[in-house]
């Protein structure tokens, strides 16, 4: 398409509309005059990006448009696009003032852009770094951006980019080395030293901290050389590239002195000997150390985890009582790996009357975290908490401040960050939504039983129908092994041999049972609009679906979703993939109830990630809903929410997952084809039909 050249008046008209000058009182005449001198393609480019930036903030867009002509003289289109996106991401993360600084400091971004050419960026590295760090032993750590590399024992903070070396790959390796060393701080006890006691004997705390950090780095190198030898060799290659020969000689001498250091106390002793000497620079992979913040985080964590662990033991004790077993006054521990190396963490089990108790994964992680802080689990931790013994605030997850532009990262179990697609800027808002996974409350199975009784004729019919769909036996021919001779294949092979060709060994037949290999996740709308008959119909439909799926043997999970704005997206586990259909699941279906709003993008991205981890040939994500995406945030209503949901569904399809929607919204045909595709939704015109139709719909889309 050939762009038409615009005069100043036409440009001013478009800018006035984009920047809402009637309300913002911004003056666009001078900007329009500058832009009128540009080529038509450049004019279209500037106006497009002004419009995209304005979808985030009008003042930010005005500042960009006023600098656009100079930007075109100094940057190519790709770098200008990156500049705008960086400003909008900064606005999301830190607010208007820092974002304005990005736009106003064009020279700084130019320098930043040149560094980016060979840099490794955290936003691109973290999807690799985070799973790598999570795969190492110890506490599960978050990864966040900061101006320097350090850890408080719960999060690894890393800079936005790493650009000390010549190539992106080398800088990524440096990221990995730094992240690993920060992990080692948490794993091998570097942060379990009270900084007030550590630095009290020294006049210059900064000098003492530098020495302690250096000595701990060399001590941790001993562990990494033993436990991660390949990565340790990479660290030393990086240090060779970045450190001078004199620096390396001094470090090597200190490394020899620290070769037998086993604990942080050994570094404390070495600090007393070496404090008066001039300290060399830290190795390139050492990062920073903030012992005061780490100690403060440790004290808060100890209080929180003691309360949560003892409360978890209270729940286990109640479970024992419900099973007619007498709970102990104090639980016992047993070590699963008594022959371990002394530097390995003990694998502990909870024991009652010499029997090992199964414990949830979250409790296991708490046990590991407590050991990292205290080296063992104290006896007082093993006494179950009394009812109401702790402040409920200690047992609950932290809330984000709804007034914060950026409320920080959730670190507790069951909370996740997800991007959100902003159709106005044609780009993602990074880490925009906070999602929590919660357990759906359960009750008795009375609703489940009543539903089966109410639809008993339909249930019998569904059982007969779905039994037919189960795997059937069929003959596989031309097999290398089998129970019978495949006569046709044998005759052909014999003819080949008689004509001088090599005889095929595929002359057998065997019976094969076609197995369904399907995993399906049902996401159930629990927004406030489902109150009344809709909620009852959803629950009845789930009961009939579950009965059908039990016959088929398909793997399935059921989750509800709701929320209130971007910082409180919630999904409710009703049944997990590996969870059997039991009284708890039946009771949870009966207790599904309307809650808040329908922000769909984050739950879809969460369920996509869950399905990616399931082994199945066919993966389905089926939505039961009564309407379009909606939320308390005014901007999520309408086109924004529809486009974010559409993008999330596109991401699911790219991951090999087939989305489908069953809705009772009679206006669904207006927006569902755009979101799901023309053949991937069904609109029911009567809520009463939902229980009757949903199993039949499932049968059709899986056969």
């Amino acid at each position: 398409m050939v762009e038409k050249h615009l005069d100043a008046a036409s440009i001013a008209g478009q800018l006035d509309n984009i920047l809402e000058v009637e309300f913002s009182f911004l003056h666009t005449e001078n900007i329009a005059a500058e832009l009128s001198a540009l080529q038509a393609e450049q004019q279209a480019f500037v106006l497009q990006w002004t419009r995209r930036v304005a979808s985030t903030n009008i003042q930010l867009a005005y500042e960009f448009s006023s600098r656009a002509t100079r930007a075109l003289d100094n940057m190519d289109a790709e770098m200008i696009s990156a500049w705008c996106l960086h400003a909008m991401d900064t606005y999301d993360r830190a607010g208007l003032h820092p974002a304005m600084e990005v736009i106003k400091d064009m020279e700084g971004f130019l320098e930043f852009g040149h560094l980016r050419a060979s840099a490794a960026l955290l936003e691109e590295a973290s999807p690799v770094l985070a799973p790598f760090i999570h795969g190492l032993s110890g506490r599960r750590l978050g990864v966040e951006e900061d101006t320097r590399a350090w850890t408080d024992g719960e999060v690894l903070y890393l800079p936005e980019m790493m650009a000390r070396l010549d190539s992106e790959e080398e800088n990524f390796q440096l990221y990995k080395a730094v992240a690993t060393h920060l992990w080692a701080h948490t794993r091998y006890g570097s942060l379990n030293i009270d900084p007030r006691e550590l630095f009290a004997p020294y006049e210059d705390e900064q000098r003492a901290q530098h020495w302690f950090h250096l000595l701990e780095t060399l001590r941790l190198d001993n562990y990494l050389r033993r436990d991660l030898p390949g990565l340790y060799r990479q660290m030393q290659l990086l240090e060779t590239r970045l450190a001078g020969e004199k620096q390396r000689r001094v470090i090597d001498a200190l490394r020899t002195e620290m070769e037998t250091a086993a604990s942080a106390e050994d570094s404390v002793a070495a600090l007393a000997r070496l404090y008066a000497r001039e300290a060399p620079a830290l190795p390139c992979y050492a990062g920073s150390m903030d012992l005061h913040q780490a100690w403060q985080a440790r004290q808060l964590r100890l209080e929180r985890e003691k309360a949560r662990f003892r409360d978890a033991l209270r729940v286990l004790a109640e479970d024992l009582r419900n099973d007619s077993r007498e709970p102990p006054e104090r639980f016992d521990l047993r070590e699963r790996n008594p022959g371990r190396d002394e530097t390995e963490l003990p694998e502990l089990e909870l024991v009652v009357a010499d029997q090992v108790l199964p414990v949830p994964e979250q409790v296991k992680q708490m046990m590991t975290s407590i050991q990292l802080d205290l080296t063992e689990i104290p006896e007082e931790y093993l006494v179950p908490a009394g009812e109401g013994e702790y402040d409920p605030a200690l047992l609950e997850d932290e809330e984000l401040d709804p007034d914060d532009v950026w409320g920080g990262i959730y670190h507790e179990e069951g909370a996740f960050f997800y991007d959100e697609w902003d159709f106005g800027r044609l780009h993602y808002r990074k880490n925009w939504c906070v999602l929590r996974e919660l357990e759906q409350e359960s009750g008795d199975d009375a609703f489940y039983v009543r539903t089966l009784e109410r639809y008993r004729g339909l249930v019998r019919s569904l059982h007969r129908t779905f039994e037919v769909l189960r795997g059937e036996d069929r003959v596989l021919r031309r097999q290398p092994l089998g129970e019978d001779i495949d006569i046709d294949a044998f005759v052909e092979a014999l003819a080949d041999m008689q004509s001088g060709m090599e005889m095929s060994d595929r002359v057998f037949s065997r019976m094969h049972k076609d197995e369904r290999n399907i995993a399906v996740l049902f996401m159930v709308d629990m927004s406030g609009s489902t109150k009344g008959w809709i909620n009852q119909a959803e629950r009845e439909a789930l009961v009939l679906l579950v009965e059908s799926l039990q016959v088929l043997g398909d793997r399935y999970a059921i989750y509800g979703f709701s929320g209130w704005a971007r910082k409180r997206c919630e999904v409710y586990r009703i049944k997990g993939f590996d969870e059997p259909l039991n009284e708890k699941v039946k009771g949870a279906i009966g207790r599904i109830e309307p809650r808040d709003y329908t922000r769909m993008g984050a739950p879809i991205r969460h369920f996509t990630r869950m399905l990616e981890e399931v082994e199945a040939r066919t993966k389905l994500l089926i939505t039961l809903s009564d309407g379009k995406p909606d939320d308390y945030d005014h901007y999520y209503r309408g086109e924004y929410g529809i486009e974010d949901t559409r993008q999330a569904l596109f991401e699911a399809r790219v991951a090999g997952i087939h989305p489908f929607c069953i809705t009772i919204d009679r206006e669904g045909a207006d927006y569902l084809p755009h979101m799901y595709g023309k053949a991937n939704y069904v609109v029911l015109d009567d809520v009463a039909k939902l229980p009757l139709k949903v199993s039949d719909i499932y049968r059709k889309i899986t056969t």
Side-chain angles (χ1 to χ4, degrees):
M1 176 180 173
V2 178
E3 299 290 347
K4 180 182 176 182
H5 189 273
L6 302 176
D7 59 22
S10 299
I11 295 172
Q14 290 199 36
L15 287 175
D16 288 352
N17 183 51
I18 294 169
L19 301 174
E20 300 178 5
V21 297
E22 185 178 351
F23 307 102
S24 62
F25 305 108
L26 297 170
H27 296 284
T28 61
E29 298 85 357
N30 293 338
I31 299 173
E34 286 185 5
L35 297 182
S36 66
L38 299 176
Q39 297 177 6
E41 292 77 12
Q42 292 176 314
Q43 290 177 340
F45 176 78
V46 171
L47 290 170
Q48 179 199 42
W49 272 104
T50 303
R51 185 176 292 106
R52 290 171 69 172
V53 177
S55 70
T56 296
N57 182 271
I58 286 174
Q59 189 65 42
L60 197 63
Y62 176 78
E63 294 296 333
F64 162 72
S65 62
S66 69
R67 290 166 174 77
T69 303
R70 190 157 61 91
L72 286 166
D73 291 337
N74 292 279
M75 295 187 274
D76 59 20
E78 185 178 353
M79 184 171 282
I80 292 174
S81 301
W83 179 42
C84 292
L85 290 172
H86 182 55
M88 289 187 284
D89 290 341
T90 302
Y91 178 87
D92 289 343
R93 186 173 62 249
L96 178 59
H97 181 70
M100 294 286 275
E101 290 301 312
V102 171
I103 290 294
K104 291 177 179 178
D105 185 15
M106 187 190 306
E107 288 73 17
F109 186 81
L110 273 169
E111 183 180 350
F112 175 78
H114 292 312
L115 287 174
R116 281 175 66 107
S118 60
L121 305 179
L122 184 59
E123 64 183 282
E124 297 173 2
S126 58
V128 179
L129 289 177
F132 170 73
I133 295 298
H134 293 165
L136 300 173
S137 63
R139 183 182 297 119
R140 189 177 178 86
L141 302 168
V143 177
E144 287 186 36
E145 182 184 317
D146 200 356
T147 55
R148 60 194 173 108
W150 69 287
T151 181
D152 63 357
E154 297 179 16
V155 182
L156 304 186
Y157 295 97
L158 296 169
E160 179 183 7
M161 69 177 178
M162 197 72 74
R164 296 186 63 185
L165 293 151
D166 296 333
S167 71
E168 182 180 352
E169 175 58 28
E170 288 176 311
N171 283 310
F172 172 77
Q173 293 301 328
L174 184 55
Y175 253 139
K176 190 175 181 180
V178 172
T180 303
H181 239 280
L182 295 178
W183 161 80
H185 287 184
T186 73
R187 174 61 183 83
Y188 299 112
S190 298
L191 308 180
N192 292 339
I193 300 288
D194 186 341
R196 292 167 299 182
E197 296 180 9
L198 174 63
F199 299 134
Y202 303 104
E203 182 179 344
D204 187 342
E205 179 176 315
Q206 187 174 353
R207 180 188 184 92
Q209 169 140 325
H210 180 88
W211 261 116
F212 179 75
H213 186 187
L214 174 60
L215 295 168
E216 275 296 277
T217 299
L218 300 180
R219 179 180 74 88
L220 298 178
D221 277 351
N222 297 334
Y223 287 110
L224 297 176
R225 183 172 60 240
R226 184 197 65 188
D227 297 339
L228 299 168
L231 184 55
Y232 175 77
R233 286 193 295 273
Q234 182 67 39
M235 289 178 178
Q236 300 314 305
L237 288 174
L238 293 170
E239 181 66 5
T240 301
R241 291 282 309 279
L242 292 171
E245 185 177 347
K246 180 180 179 182
Q247 157 86 358
R248 295 201 304 274
R249 282 202 306 270
V250 175
I251 291 291
D252 286 344
L254 288 170
R255 194 183 301 280
T256 302
E257 189 168 342
M258 294 296 293
E259 206 160 29
T260 59
S263 69
E265 283 71 19
D266 293 323
S267 295
V268 173
L271 170 61
R273 297 194 305 271
L274 299 169
Y275 170 77
R277 289 167 48 179
E278 189 67 32
L282 293 164
C284 64
Y285 49 79
S288 302
M289 182 178 272
D290 191 329
L291 288 177
H292 289 285
Q293 286 215 42
W295 184 257
Q296 184 180 13
R298 178 181 183 271
Q299 298 306 101
L300 293 172
R301 183 170 60 249
L302 285 172
E303 181 183 13
R304 180 178 68 243
E305 290 185 342
K306 180 179 181 180
R308 292 184 178 184
F309 182 65
R310 291 190 60 212
D311 192 64
L313 296 185
R314 177 186 63 79
V315 174
L316 289 174
E318 288 177 359
D319 290 343
L320 289 172
R321 199 174 288 112
N322 292 336
D323 291 339
S324 302
R325 297 168 62 186
E326 185 62 30
E329 291 185 4
R330 183 178 69 83
F331 284 80
D332 293 322
L333 292 173
R334 177 187 296 169
E335 191 173 327
R336 288 183 59 190
N337 55 340
R340 63 185 171 83
D341 184 281
E342 63 179 13
T343 60
E344 291 182 46
L345 282 177
E347 294 180 23
L348 300 178
E349 299 173 320
L350 285 175
V351 178
V352 173
D354 211 34
Q355 289 189 340
V356 175
L357 285 181
V359 296
E361 184 61 31
Q362 186 174 352
V363 177
K364 291 180 182 177
Q365 291 185 16
M366 269 194 284
M367 293 168 71
T368 297
S369 183
I370 293 166
Q371 289 182 84
L372 288 173
D373 284 331
L374 300 175
T375 69
E376 61 181 12
I377 299 180
E379 290 198 2
E380 64 265 24
Y381 279 53
L382 299 171
V383 178
E387 192 70 42
E389 180 175 346
Y390 285 105
D391 181 349
L394 277 176
L395 307 178
E396 296 173 358
D397 294 333
E398 296 176 359
E399 291 288 343
L400 287 176
D401 181 354
D403 296 323
D404 283 348
V405 172
W406 184 252
I409 299 235
Y410 281 12
H411 309 304
E412 72 273 10
E413 189 70 15
F416 306 85
F417 259 149
Y418 286 103
D419 294 348
E420 185 169 273
W421 179 255
D422 185 333
F423 81 103
R425 66 170 68 169
L426 297 177
H427 194 68
Y428 288 100
R429 291 177 179 261
K430 295 173 186 171
N431 296 330
W432 189 244
C433 293
V434 182
L435 180 143
R436 291 179 176 179
E437 228 182 79
L438 305 172
E439 194 77 24
Q440 169 63 26
E441 291 181 6
S442 185
D444 60 42
D445 62 354
F447 177 85
Y448 196 97
V449 172
R450 285 198 308 271
T451 302
L452 291 181
E453 178 62 25
R454 180 180 181 186
Y455 296 97
R456 59 183 180 276
L458 178 58
V459 170
R460 285 196 295 269
S461 174
L462 289 173
H463 282 184
R464 288 193 298 270
T465 302
F466 278 75
E467 280 171 358
V468 175
L469 294 178
R470 289 193 300 191
E472 299 175 348
D473 289 338
R474 64 186 179 92
V475 178
L476 293 182
R477 302 188 182 278
R478 301 181 185 278
Q479 301 296 304
L481 298 171
E483 301 91 0
D484 294 304
I485 299 293
D486 183 342
I487 298 300
D488 292 338
F490 181 75
V491 170
E492 290 179 15
L494 193 60
D496 288 343
M497 185 183 71
Q498 290 175 345
S499 64
M501 298 172 64
E502 185 177 353
M503 181 176 176
S504 171
D505 62 348
R506 293 182 171 273
V507 295
F508 298 96
S509 66
R510 63 183 176 88
M511 299 301 293
H512 174 74
K513 189 177 184 68
D514 272 340
E515 298 287 347
R516 292 172 63 88
N517 188 3
I518 294 175
V520 57
L521 192 151
F522 295 95
M523 53 179 290
V524 183
D525 185 352
M526 291 172 58
S527 62
S529 60
T530 62
K531 190 174 184 179
W533 284 105
I534 298 174
N535 173 256
Q536 179 170 328
E538 281 186 339
R539 291 182 292 148
E540 290 178 346
L542 286 175
V543 171
L544 299 181
L545 260 175
V546 164
E547 288 293 310
S548 303
L549 290 165
Q550 290 297 115
V551 174
L552 274 176
D554 291 351
R555 294 183 66 188
Y556 68 99
I558 305 172
Y559 282 78
F561 69 97
S562 183
W564 186 294
R566 68 182 181 90
K567 294 183 181 179
R568 215 190 81 187
C569 302
E570 294 167 343
V571 297
Y572 297 85
R573 189 176 70 184
I574 299 162
K575 180 190 175 299
F577 278 109
D578 298 323
E579 195 173 353
L581 177 63
N582 52 28
E583 302 307 307
K584 179 186 172 191
V585 172
K586 293 177 181 178
I589 291 174
R591 291 292 296 274
I592 294 173
E593 60 185 19
R595 294 181 183 272
D596 300 309
Y597 289 92
T598 323
R599 197 181 198 102
M600 293 179 68
I604 289 170
R605 291 180 176 96
H606 186 69
F607 296 143
T608 295
R609 191 165 84 171
M610 291 175 63
L611 280 163
E612 284 183 296
E613 296 173 357
V614 176
E615 290 293 332
R617 185 171 60 243
T618 302
K619 300 178 183 182
L620 300 170
L621 177 61
I622 299 180
T623 306
L624 299 180
S625 178
D626 75 326
K628 65 179 67 173
D630 185 26
D631 205 347
Y632 179 77
D633 298 343
H634 65 89
Y635 65 84
Y636 202 82
R637 295 175 178 172
E639 192 175 6
Y640 183 102
I642 288 173
E643 292 299 330
D644 175 53
T645 304
R646 180 174 185 254
Q647 186 70 13
L649 292 167
F650 172 75
E651 294 162 24
R653 284 190 287 271
V654 169
I657 295 159
H658 306 285
F660 195 89
C661 180
I662 303 171
T663 184
I664 58 169
D665 182 8
R666 294 179 182 179
E667 298 178 358
D670 296 337
Y671 59 88
L672 287 173
H674 182 66
M675 284 166 48
Y676 281 87
K678 291 183 179 179
N680 296 316
Y681 71 94
V682 168
V683 178
L684 301 179
D685 58 5
D686 184 356
V687 66
K689 293 180 181 179
L690 185 61
L692 304 174
K693 292 286 188 180
V694 72
S695 294
D696 188 50
I697 293 167
Y698 180 75
R699 177 181 63 81
K700 289 177 180 177
I701 64 178
T702 59
T703 55

